[in-house]
């Protein structure tokens, strides 16, 4: 079987698997299907890029399972006119998928290496409405206005109440809160007035957000 045929087969299997997880939004499934996941991962994983596993990336990080990402983005409910902030660009894959869903995506990361590689990948696939910037995402972003949606894949120790100021009215933030036992609870936070309304989702692997910019890499 050729590499292209194998990839098509794996992609089809992934889409069936996602529907089994109740990921049914056509826009989201189309966005995932349109982004070549292999571009964002090491060539050694080319035969398993659409599996349900996580993959290691540079700087000791990982690329989340496509299954988990799809479930979270369905909860994020991105619309075509939305401006989105992603905290932790990692491999750049999730930012690329978000670029197919919203109008504009800003993704930030404490590792300059992640930012450089992500921007190269975005240029490679022609994603012109997403940009990665080197910044301390734990503090949010200043000077970028407000966002309709905020997506965070690494966990906070406590409720990130200060992020409410970065959201538009009724804006939504998806983020994990550490449970302190190696797991974290994904929560959906909706801005109501000057506070968050919280909805608990499901547990995920706990990967804490680190403060500040990386001294190296």
């Amino acid at each position: 079987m050729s590499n292209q045929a194998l990839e098509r087969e794996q992609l089809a299997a992934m889409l069936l698997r996602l529907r089994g997880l109740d990921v049914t939004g056509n826009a989201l499934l189309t966005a995932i299907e349109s982004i070549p996941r292999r571009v964002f991962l090491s060539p050694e994983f080319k035969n398993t890029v659409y599996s349900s596993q996580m993959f290691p990336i540079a700087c000791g990080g990982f690329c989340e399972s496509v299954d988990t990402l799809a479930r979270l983005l369905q909860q994020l409910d991105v619309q075509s006119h939305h401006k989105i902030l992603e905290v932790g660009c990692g491999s750049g894959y999730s930012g690329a998928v978000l670029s197919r869903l919203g109008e504009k995506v800003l993704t930030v990361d404490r590792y300059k290496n992640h930012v450089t590689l992500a921007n190269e990948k975005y240029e490679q696939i022609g994603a012109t409405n997403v940009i990665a910037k080197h910044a301390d995402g734990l503090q949010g972003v200043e000077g970028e206005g407000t966002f309709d949606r905020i997506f965070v894949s690494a966990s906070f120790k406590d409720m990130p109440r200060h992020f409410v100021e970065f959201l538009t009215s009724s804006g939504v933030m998806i983020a994990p809160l550490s449970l302190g036992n190696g797991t974290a609870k994904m929560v959906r936070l909706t801005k109501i007035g000057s506070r968050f309304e919280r909805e608990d989702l499901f547990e995920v692997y706990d990967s804490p957000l680190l403060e500040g910019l990386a001294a190296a890499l």
Side-chain angles (χ1 to χ4, degrees):
M1 183 181 295
S2 68
N3 289 336
Q4 287 185 336
L6 178 61
E7 184 170 343
R8 286 196 300 270
E9 184 178 277
Q10 292 178 347
L11 181 59
M14 179 202 68
L15 293 173
L16 285 174
R17 192 173 68 245
L18 293 182
R19 289 188 171 91
L21 294 171
D22 292 326
V23 178
T24 57
N26 287 333
L28 175 55
L29 291 173
T30 299
I32 292 173
E33 188 175 5
S34 72
I35 301 297
R37 188 165 161 84
R38 70 182 184 282
V39 170
F40 297 88
L41 297 173
S42 171
E44 67 186 285
F45 304 123
K46 65 180 181 180
N47 293 330
T48 55
V49 292
Y50 291 111
S51 71
S52 59
Q53 68 187 82
M54 298 187 300
F55 295 95
I57 59 174
C59 307
F62 65 88
C63 182
E64 61 277 299
S65 155
V66 68
D67 298 36
T68 299
L69 177 64
R71 292 172 70 192
L72 293 174
L73 293 189
Q74 180 159 267
Q75 292 290 333
L76 195 60
D77 189 27
V78 177
Q79 303 299 310
S80 60
H81 62 282
H82 281 166
K83 180 183 176 184
I84 307 151
L85 169 65
E86 180 188 29
V87 176
C89 76
S91 70
Y93 176 72
S94 51
V97 174
L98 285 167
S99 77
R100 296 293 196 259
L101 294 169
E103 183 175 357
K104 181 180 179 182
V105 182
L106 170 64
T107 178
V108 299
D109 204 287
R110 71 187 301 266
Y111 293 107
K112 191 172 184 179
N113 189 37
H114 283 176
V115 170
T116 300
L117 290 174
N119 281 326
E120 288 175 358
K121 302 304 183 184
Y122 298 149
E123 183 176 0
Q124 182 178 339
I125 66 171
T128 58
N129 63 331
V130 55
I131 186 170
K133 290 189 176 181
H134 192 210
D136 178 6
L138 191 59
Q139 303 303 321
V141 290
E142 298 290 348
E144 294 290 347
T146 54
F147 298 85
D148 302 289
R149 297 290 187 268
I150 298 177
F151 179 60
V152 189
S153 55
S155 62
F156 292 94
K157 291 182 180 179
D158 304 294
M159 273 283 289
R161 302 184 192 282
H162 61 293
F163 270 78
V164 74
E165 64 186 88
F166 300 118
L167 277 171
T168 58
S169 179
S170 299
V172 173
M173 176 175 178
I174 295 282
L177 299 180
S178 178
L179 298 175
N181 58 0
T183 59
K185 175 75 74 174
M186 293 299 311
V187 297
R188 188 177 196 266
L189 304 172
T190 303
K191 181 177 180 177
I192 305 296
S194 59
R195 65 178 180 84
F196 278 134
E197 181 178 278
R198 171 175 168 173
E199 177 187 357
D200 288 359
L201 301 177
F202 51 87
E203 291 187 3
V204 294
Y205 172 76
D206 189 5
S207 177
L209 271 171
L210 300 177
E211 186 175 4
L213 301 179
L217 303 180

